[in-house]
Amino acid sequence: MYHYATFPKDFTWGVSTSAYQIEGAWNEDGKGLSTWDTFTHAGNIVDGSNGDIACDSYHQLDADLYMLRSLGVNSYRFSISWPRIFPNGQGTVNNKGVEYYNKLIDGLLANNISPMVTLYHFDLPQALQDIGGWESDAVLEAFHNYADYCFRTFGDRVKFWMTFNQPHAIVTAGYGTGVFPPEVKNETGSAPYRVAHNLLKVHAKVYHTYDEKYRANQDGVISITLNTDWVEPKDHTDSRDIEAADRYLQLTLGWFAHPIFKNGDYPEAMKWQVANKSELQGLQSSRLPAFTDEEKAYIQGTADVFSINIYASKIVQHKTLRLSPPSFETDLDIAEEYPANWPTSAITQHRPVAWGLRRLLNWVKEEYGDVSIYISENGVSTNSNDDFDDTTRIFYYKTYIDEALKAATYDGVDLRGYTAWCLMDNFEWAAGYAERFGFYYTNYTDLTRIPKESSKYYRQLIRCNGFPDPKNVSHPCLQPEPEGKMTESRFCLTIMGWVRYQNGTTCEPSFSHV
């Protein structure tokens, strides 16, 4: 049933992006190479593209701020490009990069938009990958020092930090399947676990540094952004399918959430599963590393809030998978499927089934207690065709956000904020520009940004703080907005800079509308 209600008055409404996906300027003003620069230039993207220009946000900061202001969000989640701050990952600071992020942060605050900053969103400095990447202690120390610098430099204005975006994707796509840099196609089934072990330890170190050196003066929060799909057992009467669904959640979300939010250690289901597989493979010990008691105590509790990305749902059932070659995928012992009547999107595996969001939020509450939760990414993709009248996206946000509202209203989930993915169409990693997630359409030829219908819908949701009963015609948000408040942020780039379309068809340099 559709639920009419509103979120608490202090609810956070936001939108998200990441540095490599929007900034461009890949080799300008002293920025160093990232692993994604190297990866894309080697021709690894399906459409042959790269993020060299992307949305050109490095040069078009005012346009980004205009779009954010037009949406009416009160938070903006973005990431800092590590090689833009430290071209070699460590050592000399690039002041031009620092200047860009200072301007962005100050611009957000001037528009009453709170910055939510991710320190690492996949773009490792190539110089650090060259010395071993996330398997190197020197790189782990460099990340800690980079985070410390960011706290010291931006923390007087940034009050919400996230260390890593989707560490599960970092280790499985980068060190398992090899579809992300550094392209490690692991043949022993141990690299993802080994790298995840390192990420958890350095995350904890960064958390403690913020807690001990900066929290008292800066009064911010720090977390880590995790991700999973919701999974439903194929047969609700089959205990093996029920266990398979829980195992999937434990070995994806729980892999990182259990050590941080529960007891400093991996889930019991994960430890048993990987150890059992390892024994059957004739190994002397589990491929999953073990934490010492000291490390468990150090990692436990190293997040102030639960930040989670979710896009879709799927059906799973138990299936005993092969032993050789070993991999994190076959360790799951599940088979996945998608019912034919479920909605589709431009990504085959992203099936937008809204009730999965409510069930996942409840699972987090049941598993980790009454932790404060922020949805840090949620959205749906279309293909590369023009999608200005994106009714499918509107329906996605309407149903997903309403399910989140049910979780908060009926189920007692402590949901504090919702962040949509994403502000504008951008470079979508291995898919290049073949998929579009944005509220704003990006024309990659002339860098025009044009609002889709979903941008207007999201603005109205924010203005209403949810879904007030339409029968309550006197509710302020159901009244028309004052004249001039709803802006049509159509931009085009001229030799004079960014200007707005005057008539929606021609690009006249009238700066009264910038």
Side-chain angles (χ1 to χ4, degrees), residues 73-122:
V73 296
N74 54 31
S75 71
Y76 177 45
R77 177 176 174 248
F78 65 93
S79 73
I80 292 175
S81 169
W82 185 354
R84 198 178 293 285
I85 299 290
F86 290 98
N88 294 312
Q90 54 192 335
T92 304
V93 174
N94 177 29
N95 291 324
K96 284 287 188 180
V98 175
E99 180 182 339
Y100 169 72
Y101 292 112
N102 273 325
K103 287 181 179 178
L104 171 56
I105 292 166
D106 290 344
L108 292 171
L109 294 176
N111 287 284
N112 297 314
I113 301 171
S114 299
M116 302 173 72
V117 177
T118 306
L119 290 166
Y120 182 79
H121 200 126
F122 302 163

Side-chain angles (χ1 to χ4, degrees), residues 380-408:
V380 67
S381 64
T382 54
N383 59 31
S384 59
N385 297 330
D386 298 350
D387 62 340
F388 301 108
D389 187 17
D390 54 344
T391 54
T392 299
R393 184 170 288 108
I394 290 172
F395 183 76
Y396 180 96
Y397 282 117
K398 179 178 182 178
T399 54
Y400 266 79
I401 294 173
D402 197 63
E403 290 298 319
L405 183 59
K406 291 176 187 177

Side-chain angles (χ1 to χ4, degrees), residues 388 390 393-394 438-439 452-459:
F388 301 108
D390 54 344
R393 184 170 288 108
I394 290 172
F439 285 120
K452 305 175 188 178
E453 287 302 310
S454 60
S455 70
K456 303 172 188 177
Y457 181 76
Y458 191 50
R459 176 186 172 88

